[in-house]
Amino acid sequence: MKEKKKLGLGVKILIGLVAGIIVGAIFWAAMGPDAAAAFTAKYIKPFGDIFVNLLKFIVVPLVLLSIMDGVIAMGDIGKVGKIGWKTVAYFLVTTAIACVIGLIVASLFKGAFPILSLAEDAAYEAKTSNLMDVIVNIFPSNAINPLSTSAMLQIIFIAIIFGCGVLVAGEKGKPFGDFITSFNDVTQRVMGFILAVSPIGVFALMVWVVAAQGPKILGSLGLVLLAAYIGYILHVVLVYSMSVKIFAKMSPLEFFRKIFPAAAFAFTSTSSVATLPVTKECCDEMDVHPEISSFVLPLGATVNMDGTAIYQCVAAIFLAKCIGVDLSITQMIVIVVTATLASIGTAGTSGAGMIMLAMVLESVGIPPVYIGIIYGIDRLFDMGRTALNIIGDASCAVCVNTWEGNDALKSEKKTA
Ligand code: ASP
């Protein structure tokens, strides 16, 4: 039933998108570029702004609670420590590689991306804080400020450390842990409400973009989509094939054949979390020990998002180019760090990665309102990135299983 609802939303978004393009093109043709840009910016784009505001509003509770809940879901800190660090190391390394792949592919495409003339160009403020500043700024000096200023890295830090606090507090921490799990659930529903009005936001933003730019923008959207999919495919071929081959001694073709049902489900549902039961089933097929898969897969569905990371990097380069900004190497490094963390903070639900894109854009000073340019086709990005996200979770489970699980299986067989 849940799936049906999501598909319904997908169709509505598509309708909003197509209607927005048509109406935008009509404005553009009927009024001429300048008048159409001014009119739609004044009367239609504000509805898109409301939607973007709502996205920005939900992002703080979403990150705080979904990460805290992820840590709490690990159970006992001591027990999960051994498997946990290997899992987290695998997630972090593959996600950082994903970011680099995304940046390289997008940089190759950059020449073909357009520079748009949108009203807010002046809003760009270069943020070139050095890496040391970025690291120091992860650690908050105040518990409330990070929440009110949407300082995402600090929020992620707070989420992890409080999540660990819940685990270490044991029985006494349990009521708080349950509260967080429940609060997280509620927040996911609220995000659902916001996504439910997204077709209107898509429509308004698309009308504005097409009216201001003319239909030529559509070709550019095809290009940025192509860049993202090339990144996804490269990551599958380079990273997952190699890791299952080298670490799990498994034929990559066999791995892809076995994970295909989950990848296909993720592609259509655009939710890692909704795909979880199918991913688990596929891992059972690959003889991953249940103790490993039931730890790695839910954690992965919450924090491991390589497809999302690629998408965020490609989108950041594309949107920077759209507003005529050439990102420096330091800014690219900031993007790798923030996109890795942002993908960790992304909930495994439809469209969540696009919400977190705001954080990546803000880290280099690009106003998040430009997400509107690509929001209309987000589902097309989301299908590929969700499939990649869950393939990444499964590849991790298969590898950790070889590192740890084989022993567990052997000892089980011995005692049997
Ligand atoms: N839909 C993705 C997932 O569930 C998250 C995202 O939007 O990037 O894995």
Side-chain angles (χ1 to χ4, degrees):
M1 226 179 106
K2 227 177 172 183
E3 204 192 329
K4 231 180 183 178
K5 220 167 123 196
K6 270 183 186 134
L7 282 179
L9 178 65
V11 173
K12 283 187 211 151
I13 288 177
L14 197 67
I15 293 170
L17 169 75
V18 174
I21 292 170
I22 295 170
V23 174
I26 292 172
F27 274 119
W28 185 78
M31 301 172 87
D34 289 344
F39 179 83
T40 53
K42 194 161 176 202
Y43 296 107
I44 295 181
K45 180 172 161 283
F47 294 99
D49 289 340
I50 293 174
F51 173 61
V52 174
N53 284 351
L54 289 175
L55 292 181
K56 289 199 313 210
F57 146 79
I58 198 67
V59 81
V60 169
L62 198 66
V63 172
L64 184 72
L65 296 164
S66 84
I67 293 190
M68 253 167 107
D69 194 37
V71 174
I72 294 166
M74 284 194 195
D76 166 33
I77 249 185
K79 189 180 151 209
V80 297
K82 204 163 137 254
I83 298 172
W85 80 261
K86 287 176 184 162
T87 305
V88 170
Y90 184 96
F91 286 167
L92 283 179
V93 171
T94 52
T95 306
I97 297 174
C99 290
V100 174
I101 290 177
L103 284 179
I104 292 174
V105 174
S107 298
L108 294 177
F109 271 78
K110 204 170 70 182
F113 292 155
I115 298 179
L116 307 178
S117 49
L118 296 171
E120 280 98 337
D121 287 7
Y124 177 75
E125 255 179 55
K127 278 196 190 166
T128 47
S129 51
N130 68 42
L131 208 56
M132 247 10 239
D133 288 346
V134 174
I135 293 169
V136 170
N137 282 332
I138 292 174
F139 304 95
S141 60
N142 180 296
I144 306 299
N145 274 353
L147 306 181
S148 61
T149 57
S150 303
M152 287 303 165
L153 299 184
Q154 301 187 355
I155 292 170
I156 289 172
F157 175 82
I158 294 172
I160 292 174
I161 204 158
F162 268 84
C164 290
V166 169
L167 292 183
V168 173
E171 271 307 305
K172 285 202 170 151
K174 209 170 169 307
F176 183 70
D178 290 344
F179 166 73
I180 293 297
T181 305
S182 149
F183 198 175
N184 183 38
D185 235 53
V186 172
T187 308
Q188 301 280 345
R189 301 301 142 109
V190 175
M191 187 182 88
F193 298 155
I194 295 173
L195 289 177
V197 296
S198 64
I200 300 168
V202 168
F203 171 78
L205 292 169
M206 218 53 211
V207 170
W208 166 60
V209 169
V210 175
Q213 296 303 317
K216 70 175 190 296
I217 178 74
L218 299 178
S220 317
L221 290 183
L223 262 185
V224 67
L225 200 61
L226 181 69
Y229 272 81
I230 289 177
Y232 299 159
I233 291 167
L234 276 179
H235 194 66
V236 166
V237 173
L238 293 178
V239 178
Y240 299 147
S241 301
M242 271 162 62
S243 68
V244 295
K245 177 93 195 138
I246 294 169
F247 299 126
K249 314 272 179 281
M250 190 174 180
S251 140
L253 283 181
E254 178 74 355
F255 171 74
F256 293 129
R257 198 175 61 77
K258 293 248 163 86
I259 198 63
F260 180 76
F265 190 87
F267 193 76
T268 45
S269 72
T270 63
S271 167
S272 297
V273 170
T275 312
L276 202 52
V278 193
T279 322
K280 175 90 170 62
E281 182 110 356
C282 293
C283 284
D284 289 348
E285 280 282 300
M286 289 186 267
D287 286 333
V288 176
H289 194 288
E291 205 176 83
I292 306 269
S293 59
S294 56
F295 168 76
V296 172
L297 298 179
L299 185 66
T302 321
V303 303
N304 183 42
M305 312 263 169
D306 294 356
T308 304
I310 291 177
Y311 152 80
Q312 286 169 342
C313 290
V314 169
I317 300 265
F318 173 73
L319 295 176
K321 177 75 191 293
C322 285
I323 60 171
V325 171
D326 233 342
L327 297 172
S328 67
I329 290 289
T330 320
Q331 285 178 308
M332 295 233 190
I333 294 172
V334 171
I335 289 182
V336 171
V337 175
T338 353
T340 301
L341 293 171
S343 67
I344 291 172
T346 300
T349 50
S350 198
M354 182 269 317
I355 295 174
M356 294 301 296
L357 176 62
M359 165 179 165
V360 179
L361 297 181
E362 268 178 340
S363 74
V364 288
I366 302 168
V369 68
Y370 292 109
I371 291 175
I373 297 173
I374 50 169
Y375 183 76
I377 54 163
D378 185 65
R379 190 156 184 110
L380 300 177
F381 286 108
D382 202 2
M383 291 162 91
R385 68 184 188 242
T386 310
L388 199 69
N389 290 346
I390 67 95
I391 297 175
D393 301 341
S395 77
C396 179
V398 166
C399 292
V400 174
N401 186 56
T402 315
W403 294 328
E404 290 290 321
N406 279 344
D407 287 336
L409 282 175
K410 268 182 213 150
S411 62
E412 231 175 45
K413 274 178 198 153
K414 259 184 221 157
T415 51

